[in-house]
Amino acid sequence: SVASREDGSISSREVHPLEEYLTPSIQIGDESRAEAEAILHDAGMRGRYAVIAPASASGAVKDWPPEHYRRLVEMILREFDCPVAVTGGPAQWDTAERIASGLPGVVNLAGKTSMDSFAGLLAGAELFVGGDSGGAHAAAALGIPSVVIFGITNPTRTRPTGARVVCVGDGENRDVKLSTPEAREAAK
């Protein structure tokens, strides 16, 4: 279920009893996983990692600002000591680069994955963070701990479902504040 907070934002940490039956589940094939491993290897990433998907197909009007993602990536590096892969399509390369540039342990993979290799990348991730997008729904269906940031879309209508999904935002404002405790809780 979705719970309101004092600041008007929401959290979906509690799971409705029927959600177990309504939560999608997907399986990722070995070929997709191998493609993702090759992309990560080429980028110099080894071991565990987080995936950040900062852009939606709907465009910047739905997206959390890149500078917010950058601060969140810095927190993930500091708090979890976990490398980060910033993803997106070729059109999102500049946004991903604004987030990743100059941060050790962070790679810009925007434009370097196909749908199959992106699915393989998600399947191996320790954490997913992104906006209201297909990637968020795929991460939830894979059971990946996920933080989904909602700006102008209504999370009560379009949020991914799952016990390991935390949704933040009120559906009215792109300037969602994401605290360290929320991110830490989602990463558990």
Side-chain angles (χ1 to χ4, degrees), residues 6-162:
E6 287 180 25
D7 66 1
S9 64
I10 59 124
S11 172
S12 66
R13 198 59 172 155
E14 295 179 29
V15 178
H16 188 278
L18 289 178
E19 197 163 298
E20 172 184 346
Y21 303 102
L22 302 175
T23 301
S25 176
I26 57 175
Q27 301 297 315
I28 305 302
D30 293 340
E31 188 174 312
S32 296
R33 290 174 187 269
E35 286 178 40
E37 286 178 23
I39 291 167
L40 289 168
H41 183 268
D42 290 348
M45 290 186 77
R46 309 281 187 285
R48 63 191 207 104
Y49 59 91
V51 171
I52 306 295
S56 68
S58 298
V61 69
K62 251 175 88 167
D63 299 338
W64 206 36
E67 58 274 13
H68 290 2
Y69 274 108
R70 184 173 174 93
R71 285 194 302 272
L72 180 61
V73 166
E74 290 169 342
M75 188 272 304
I76 291 169
L77 292 168
R78 184 179 59 253
E79 298 285 325
F80 301 111
D81 192 28
C82 185
V84 176
V86 184
T87 63
Q92 287 91 33
W93 189 90
D94 287 340
T95 297
E97 188 62 15
R98 286 176 59 194
I99 297 164
S101 181
L103 294 177
V106 182
V107 296
N108 178 356
L109 297 182
K112 296 181 180 178
T113 59
S114 65
M115 291 296 284
D116 286 339
S117 60
F118 178 69
L121 188 69
L122 286 177
E126 296 265 327
L127 173 68
F128 170 86
V129 179
D132 177 22
S133 65
H137 288 272
L142 285 164
I144 307 302
S146 303
V147 177
V148 185
I149 303 162
F150 282 81
I152 63 166
T153 53
N154 184 339
T156 61
R157 296 173 66 164
T158 63
R159 72 181 182 89
T161 58

